[in-house]
Amino acid sequence: AYAYPYSADNVVQDPVPTGIPFNDAYRYMDWLLTVPLLLIEIILVQKLTPEEASSKSSTLGFAAALMIVLGYPGELIQDSLHIQTRWVWWALAMVPFAYIVFSLTFSLHGATEAEEDTRVKGLIRRAHRLTVISWCLYPVVYVFPMIGIE
């Protein structure tokens, strides 16, 4: 964590490390709420029947929550003695991650192609691609401590 001190003339100075570690639980709790909602938003703009939209929202929302819940225990492991256990949590979290990426890339393809408005279809495709590309950074960064990058 950082402190943001003010000078005598009330000007914000450079941040100063406090020595108190940041609690990653806050970030994971945020993701537990926002990541499933992001996927549900993507699904709700697709050309799906109400039943399909409900089913996809439930399964992808659950997969997203499961991915985050499985990733958190590994995030807590920072010491080199238990780094193998972190690999286990990473691998477990990658299962729902792969399902989500597959769904966005392939299984929702038909619903995207069913969109008649070419502009909307392009935007949906872009949302799928940007979500998948940006999400692919997370498993890589998660591995950094396991390969000696801090």
Side-chain angles (χ1 to χ4, degrees):
Y2 289 88
Y4 300 89
Y6 287 87
S7 63
D9 56 351
N10 213 22
V11 176
V12 179
Q13 297 180 0
D14 291 336
V16 178
T18 63
I20 301 169
F22 178 75
N23 186 345
D24 287 318
Y26 297 123
R27 185 172 35 147
Y28 275 77
M29 283 305 296
D30 173 65
W31 289 344
L32 195 57
L33 297 171
T34 58
V35 172
L37 289 175
L38 168 71
L39 292 173
I40 291 168
E41 285 176 321
I42 291 172
I43 290 164
L44 292 178
V45 299
Q46 300 272 206
K47 285 279 189 185
L48 295 168
T49 66
E51 295 79 20
E52 290 172 318
S54 177
S55 173
K56 289 283 187 193
S57 293
S58 296
T59 56
L60 286 177
F62 177 76
L66 182 62
M67 171 183 69
I68 292 159
V69 166
L70 290 172
Y72 182 64
E75 182 69 29
L76 298 175
I77 299 168
Q78 298 293 322
D79 64 87
S80 59
L81 294 175
H82 298 98
I83 209 72
Q84 297 300 12
T85 305
R86 185 178 167 107
W87 279 109
V88 170
W89 289 111
W90 177 84
L92 290 171
M94 288 302 295
V95 173
F97 176 83
Y99 172 75
I100 293 166
V101 168
F102 176 83
S103 294
L104 290 176
T105 307
F106 299 107
S107 73
L108 289 172
H109 181 75
T112 303
E113 292 307 309
E115 178 57 55
E116 293 148 11
D117 185 325
T118 56
R119 183 176 170 279
V120 172
K121 185 187 303 188
L123 291 171
I124 293 170
R125 283 184 189 144
R126 187 177 305 157
H128 288 194
R129 273 195 305 270
L130 290 175
T131 301
V132 169
I133 290 167
S134 64
W135 280 20
C136 284
L137 295 173
Y138 287 101
V140 173
V141 172
Y142 190 97
V143 169
F144 281 1
M146 295 143 54
I147 59 174
I149 300 173
E150 293 187 24

